[in-house]
Amino acid sequence: MSPPRSAVSDTGPLPDTSGPLAEQLLRLNRRLHRAQKQYLEPLGVTPAQSRLLRTVAHFPEPPRMADLARRLEVVPRAVTTLVDALEAHDAVRRVPDPASRRVVRIELTSTGRSTLKALRDARRAAAEDVLAPLTADQREVLGGLLSDLLDGPDAHH
C-alpha cells in the first residue's frame, strides 16, 4: 500500500510531521483566541457573540434562528441564548418574517453594525499581535499555505 498522496513528494515519502504540526496549529489557535478575547473584552462581546454577529451580517436578508444554528453548527437553544444577550445590548433585534407569522428573523441594529466594525478592528489587532514576528514575505507564504489547507480537497465550508 502506498502512502497517501499528501505524504509523498517528488523525492519520496515525507517524514511524519503531522503530530508536531497539529500541536503547533492548536497552540497558535489558542494564542490567537486569547489575543482576540483580550481585544473583545472591552467591547463587552464574547467570541461566540462576535461569531453570531458576523454570521448575521453575511446573510443577504435577516436570517431565521434555524439558519443561524445551522451555519454556526450549534443547537438552536445556543443561538437563542446568544441572540438574547446581543438583543439586551441592542446589537440585534428579532423581527417577524413577512411570509410567516410563526418565523422570527434576526437583524443587526445600528449598534450591532458599529459593534461589528469594532470587532473587525479588534480581530485585526489580535492577528497583528500574533503575526508581529513575521516579515511581509513570511506572512505571504503563511497566507498561501493556510489557503491551501483551507481550500484543499477536504475543505468542508
Side-chain angles (χ1 to χ4, degrees):
M1 184 161 111
S2 63
R5 188 176 77 75
S6 61
V8 177
S9 73
D10 294 338
T11 59
L14 295 174
D16 182 13
T17 57
S18 56
L21 281 174
E23 181 59 30
Q24 287 177 306
L25 287 169
L26 289 170
R27 286 178 54 213
L28 183 61
N29 187 46
R30 284 191 297 265
R31 183 185 300 169
L32 183 58
H33 186 77
R34 278 192 310 271
Q36 191 173 338
K37 192 173 179 180
Q38 175 186 343
Y39 282 96
L40 292 179
E41 203 168 341
L43 300 175
V45 177
T46 67
Q49 292 168 350
S50 168
R51 189 167 173 234
L52 183 108
L53 281 174
R54 289 191 323 269
T55 302
V56 170
H58 280 100
F59 277 90
E61 63 181 3
R64 298 173 304 146
M65 299 279 260
D67 299 329
L68 291 169
R70 194 170 23 264
R71 179 79 55 94
L72 293 169
E73 298 178 345
V74 298
V75 296
R77 178 71 195 128
V79 172
T80 301
T81 300
L82 292 170
V83 168
D84 287 347
L86 289 169
E87 196 172 36
H89 287 96
D90 192 36
V92 298
R93 72 175 144 254
R94 289 171 166 90
V95 294
D97 184 308
S100 173
R101 290 188 339 210
R102 294 184 309 178
V103 175
V104 174
R105 293 187 175 269
I106 307 303
E107 71 178 11
L108 290 175
T109 63
S110 60
T111 299
R113 284 186 287 281
S114 298
T115 301
L116 202 51
K117 185 195 178 314
L119 291 171
R120 283 188 197 109
D121 294 344
R123 287 180 61 167
R124 282 190 190 103
E128 184 56 40
D129 283 356
V130 171
L131 298 172
L134 301 181
T135 66
D137 288 344
Q138 289 172 320
R139 289 178 186 212
E140 191 171 326
V141 169
L142 178 61
L145 293 170
L146 291 173
S147 291
D148 288 348
L149 292 173
L150 293 170
D151 301 335
D154 295 332
H156 292 95
H157 299 285

